[in-house]
Amino acid sequence: MAYTAHFKVWRGDGSGGALQDFDVEVNEGEVVLDIIHRLQATQTPDLAVRWNCKAGKCGSCSAEINGRPRLMCMTRMSTFTEEQTIAVTPMRTFPVIRDLVTDVSYNYEKARMVPSFAPPADLAPGDYRMAQVDVERSQEFRKCIECFLCQDVCHVIRDHEPNKESYSGPRFLIRLAELDMHPLDTVDRRDVAVEDHGLGFCNITKCCTEVCPEGIKITDNGIIPLKERVVDKRYDPVFSVGSLFRKGQKRSAPPT
């Protein structure tokens, strides 16, 4: 059954803006993105919004709805009461381009800093072999649609703009963890995770996990195990002694 809802939509650009009020028709079964499209069609044709698949798989329509980072295409209007005012604002962590569209290029810059997958040099592509348990362990992180909601809610960069230079955020920490878990990968990314991506900045509040539309356990299954492997390498005395022993063996090895 149709009803009229009250929306507040942020309008503006990088120089500033404000919430604008709209009364708009809502029909049964609709999502927030449907209402934004109706506003474009009937009241504000110049409203800027980024979207693509409308199926929760492209990650394009990220925004903040009543202060919570969400995908507009996956937020049903039945979530709210008919009397409730619904505020739609751009992701706060990233610079506004216009209206609900933000500049997320920070994420692509951080993505380029992740060392790529590197299999053993003597392993031919057709010879890749992995146990199913290893596939399942890292496959969870492959579900990421790069909506960057985890980046938006991460207070390390949301509330502290200068941290963006040295911290990559949860999306790329789980990318590092995924590669580190791959049994055929030969690159040790633990130092990179700390020195280039700021792993130590994460204090595992799990807010990133709470907003992930794919249900990825970002903190428990990705970031915490990565932190544990870093601690093993950097601070475990047994590991340190073993490293010294291995270095000594290399120095004493006869020339070939």
Side-chain angles (χ1 to χ4, degrees):
M1 184 174 178
Y3 68 94
T4 299
H6 186 64
F7 267 67
K8 287 180 176 290
V9 181
W10 197 89
R11 305 296 310 278
D13 54 28
S15 62
L19 289 168
Q20 187 173 340
D21 291 278
F22 297 98
D23 290 321
V24 57
E25 179 184 328
V26 175
N27 298 308
E28 186 175 358
E30 290 186 321
V31 295
V32 170
L33 186 59
D34 290 320
I35 309 308
I36 295 298
H37 285 165
R38 182 165 295 123
L39 287 175
Q40 287 180 316
T42 62
Q43 300 184 48
T44 175
D46 62 340
L47 174 63
V49 58
R50 184 182 281 134
W51 72 284
N52 188 17
C53 74
K54 202 176 177 290
K57 291 301 176 185
C58 73
S60 300
C61 64
S62 300
E64 296 190 11
I65 302 171
N66 285 358
R68 182 180 175 86
R70 298 171 182 260
L71 293 178
M72 289 188 284
C73 71
M74 299 301 287
T75 305
R76 294 198 169 276
M77 288 301 299
S78 58
T79 305
F80 313 101
T81 65
E82 294 185 11
E83 299 77 19
Q84 191 171 357
T85 296
I86 301 166
V88 185
T89 56
M91 290 191 287
R92 198 181 93 183
T93 298
F94 308 111
V96 172
I97 296 176
R98 185 176 152 210
D99 299 339
L100 301 179
V101 178
T102 55
D103 180 0
V104 294
S105 57
Y106 156 82
N107 299 286
Y108 302 116
E109 293 168 5
K110 295 300 182 180
R112 285 193 288 269
M113 294 170 58
V114 176
S116 59
F117 172 71
D122 58 348
L123 190 65
D127 295 333
Y128 286 17
R129 296 292 184 271
M130 291 176 60
Q132 184 61 33
V133 66
D134 291 324
V135 174
E136 292 170 354
R137 189 181 185 200
S138 60
Q139 188 66 28
E140 175 185 10
F141 308 123
R142 288 281 182 172
K143 295 191 299 180
C144 175
I145 59 175
E146 295 203 325
C147 60
F148 304 128
L149 294 180
C150 63
Q151 300 284 86
D152 181 48
V153 80
C154 180
H155 65 91
V156 178
I157 49 178
R158 182 183 179 92
D159 299 328
H160 307 281
E161 181 71 22
N163 287 343
K164 287 184 178 179
E165 183 176 345
S166 51
Y167 181 64
S168 296
R171 192 291 169 251
F172 302 104
L173 294 183
I174 64 166
R175 174 61 175 155
L176 289 163
E178 173 204 333
L179 291 166
D180 199 49
M181 292 174 184
H182 200 298
L184 296 179
D185 188 78
T186 59
V187 177
D188 186 345
R189 296 177 178 80
R190 287 174 291 186
D191 288 336
V192 169
V194 175
E195 296 164 7
D196 295 344
H197 295 273
L199 177 64
F201 280 87
C202 174
N203 53 15
I204 55 176
T205 58
K206 302 188 182 183
C207 50
C208 51
T209 299
E210 291 179 7
V211 300
C212 179
E214 287 295 315
I216 301 171
K217 293 181 173 58
I218 296 171
T219 310
D220 289 345
N221 293 352
I223 296 177
I224 290 176
L226 182 60
K227 280 177 172 282
E228 289 171 344
R229 288 192 290 276
V230 168
V231 169
D232 285 344
K233 178 177 182 179
R234 293 194 163 204
Y235 305 110
D236 189 327
V238 175
F239 188 93
S240 300
V241 170
S243 298
L244 293 173
F245 178 74
R246 287 190 294 272
K247 289 179 182 177
Q249 281 188 322
K250 289 180 181 179
R251 284 196 295 267
S252 61
T256 56

